[in-house]
Structure formats: C-alpha cells, structure tokens
Amino acid sequence: MTGIELSAGTIALQDTGGDGPPVVLLHGMLMDASLWDAVVTDLSADHRCVAPTLPFGAHPHPVHADADLSLPGIASLVAELLERLDLQQVTLVGNDTGGALVQLLMGEGNPRVGRAVLVSCEAFDNLPPGLTGKTLALAGRLPPRLFGLFMQQMRLRALRRLPIAFGWLTRRGDAATARWVRPVMRQQDIRRDAVRMLRAAFTDRQLLLRAAESLPSFYRPALVVWADGDRVMPVEHGRRLARLLPQGRLVEVPDSRTLIPLDQPAELAGLIRAFVREPARGEEVR
C-alpha cells in the first residue's frame, strides 16, 4: 500500500502495476481498499489493479479540512486519480457506495473509463441504502466525538453482525469489517472526516435518480453484478440498471450479500476478467 498526493490530501493506494488492462476498484462507506484484496490477488496475474482507499471513514490519512466529501466531490477525486496515473481505457468497478461513484463518472462520460462494472450498489432512490445506510445517516448528525463513541460499539462482533451495521452486507467478511472501523475509533481527524462525509453524502437524496437519467448515454460496455438475495441494495435496481445501459448485462451471484468481493471473490474476479476480454458490441455512439 502506497500513497498518492491529490487535491484532497494523501490517498492510500494499492497499485499492482504491470502492463495488463487497468482495473480500478472502488469501495463503499466505512470500508477501505482491502475490500478487494482477494479479487486483486486473482486479477493481478494479468491486469493492473488499482484500489484506492477513499475518504469514506476507514482511510488512514485525514484529508484537508476544505476537501469536498460529497459523493460528486469524491467522484471528482477518482477522476483526478485516473488522470494523475494516466490510466486509459479503464475498467472502473464499484461496490456499495463505490458503485454510486462509478455511476456519477459514467454520467459525466469520463473519457478514461472504457468499461464499467456495478457491483450491488446504491442506485435510484436507495440513498441512504437500507438499515445500514439509514443508521449511518443518523449517526453522521452527531458531533465527531459522539460519533466516535457510537462507533466504539462496533468492537463487538455481535453488534457488527446486526442488520443496522454490517450484518446484511456480508456473510463471511467479519474480519474485514472489524478492521475497517478502527480508524474512526482511534483517530480524531478521521472521525471529523467521517462525519463531514456522511453529512455531505446524504444531503442530496435525488443525486442517483439524476445520475440514472444519464446512463442511457453510456454506450461503452457495462456489467451489472448483483447478490441475488441482497437485502440492502434491491435486486430490481440491478435489473433496472442493466436495462438502462445500452451495452448493459446483468449477472446475479448466489450465496452472497452486498459485499460480493468478500463473499464470492473468485466468482467476481472471473466475471470481471471475462468482461474485460469481451469485445464491445459495435462502435461507441455519442
């Protein structure tokens, strides 16, 4: 794990390097790039995998006090990262809130994004998503110190496994969730960032509805991968996203919750690898 200096501050980054097709992988709130560890281990044999840890509350370095931590602001930070690394024809992959960021960049027609993969993520009116998102939105109204006290409860596995926490997000990833909550427990500046991010992220509840209006203009290849029993991100949203995208295709993954990279990493890596190899259906239309 290295760091890269962007306009918001130092962003931790896993970059496997190599000459393979670039795949950039984005995580969700109160998570870090380790969400993708098993997927990266698989894909890095023949892809360049880039997984930033975004300022979503589990990041190791506090960002600048004036950094824009709204979802559009963090999407712009991802665009800045692609430019700084000079990545072209990127396959941009997002799970959970990372998928919301991918949708925003798809809607903007970012020229560095050649393909997109949406993995069980916020869409349409599902913002904040499910019980977990609604709990985070309420907790984000607390002052940073009280938010930290609230998060201290996540030290207990029984509480992390509740539906209001990570229980409906993953079947098998409790070790990862325990790691993700440590920064807000231990670092005052990270608590500050997390509260600012949560307040900014849920201010505009119509954001992803507007983003969906732009998706039919994304004529590049798109894959939608959804947990078939997802209780946080409705399966019907995955089906709607696939229908909206001109080159969209849906795959439903069994025996998984929202965080497919934790619950079914080999399945997801195989889907991404096959998708990157697929030829586009005709020329890109603008």
Side-chain angles (χ1 to χ4, degrees):
M1 187 74 69
T2 60
I4 185 170
E5 288 295 325
L6 299 178
S7 59
T10 302
I11 300 300
L13 183 72
Q14 180 180 7
D15 184 352
T16 63
D19 298 326
V23 179
V24 176
L25 305 121
L26 308 180
H27 60 82
M29 292 181 184
L30 287 184
M31 303 173 198
D32 64 23
S34 67
L35 170 72
W36 299 102
D37 279 356
V39 175
V40 167
T41 297
D42 190 322
L43 287 178
S44 60
D46 47 4
H47 296 75
R48 178 182 178 181
C49 297
V50 177
T53 290
L54 300 168
F56 271 145
H59 50 297
H61 311 295
V63 295
H64 300 324
D66 61 350
D68 183 354
L69 298 183
S70 67
L71 293 184
I74 298 177
S76 295
L77 196 64
V78 174
E80 183 183 348
L81 174 69
L82 301 183
E83 184 175 356
R84 281 286 304 278
L85 297 177
D86 194 24
L87 297 176
Q88 307 285 345
Q89 289 300 303
V90 168
T91 297
L92 189 62
V93 185
N95 179 215
D96 195 82
T97 312
L101 302 181
V102 173
Q103 292 171 62
L104 294 175
L105 291 165
M106 292 166 75
E108 294 171 0
N110 188 293
R112 296 180 182 272
V113 178
R115 293 171 181 257
V117 184
L118 299 172
V119 183
S120 277
C121 59
E122 285 102 319
F124 306 108
D125 60 350
N126 191 29
L127 187 72
L131 286 175
T132 303
K134 291 175 175 61
T135 301
L136 278 178
L138 289 171
R141 297 177 185 176
L142 298 170
R145 189 180 70 83
L146 293 180
F147 178 76
L149 291 174
F150 171 80
M151 291 303 299
Q152 289 291 334
Q153 301 172 80
M154 295 300 107
R155 291 178 299 174
L156 302 176
R157 184 182 186 277
L159 294 180
R160 290 196 303 274
R161 300 305 301 153
L162 291 175
I164 63 170
F166 293 99
W168 281 356
L169 290 176
T170 176
R171 293 183 184 276
R172 304 175 180 90
D174 185 64
T177 66
R179 184 172 60 250
W180 293 340
V181 296
R182 289 174 191 153
V184 293
M185 294 180 187
R186 298 176 177 177
Q187 299 183 56
Q188 179 179 351
D189 289 342
I190 300 300
R191 290 193 290 273
R192 178 207 67 191
D193 289 350
V195 166
R196 288 181 54 225
M197 177 274 297
L198 290 169
R199 293 176 182 178
F202 299 131
T203 297
D204 184 355
R205 305 276 177 110
Q206 305 298 309
L207 177 67
L208 296 182
L209 286 169
R210 294 195 302 275
E213 294 174 358
S214 300
L215 294 182
S217 65
F218 187 83
Y219 285 92
R220 299 161 224 175
L223 177 66
V224 181
V225 182
W226 224 264
D228 68 356
D230 204 316
R231 302 177 73 175
V232 179
M233 313 296 178
V235 178
E236 178 54 31
H237 282 186
R239 296 167 183 161
R240 284 174 64 188
L241 287 168
R243 290 194 297 265
L244 279 175
L245 293 159
Q247 291 199 53
R249 177 168 63 87
L250 172 70
V251 176
E252 295 184 21
V253 175
D255 191 26
S256 181
R257 293 180 181 165
T258 302
L259 301 184
I260 300 174
L262 294 182
D263 287 347
Q264 294 289 356
E267 173 79 7
L268 181 57
L271 290 169
I272 294 171
R273 176 176 283 110
F275 172 64
V276 172
R277 292 174 176 170
E278 288 177 4
R281 297 200 301 264
E283 295 295 320
E284 181 181 327
V285 180
R286 292 191 181 275

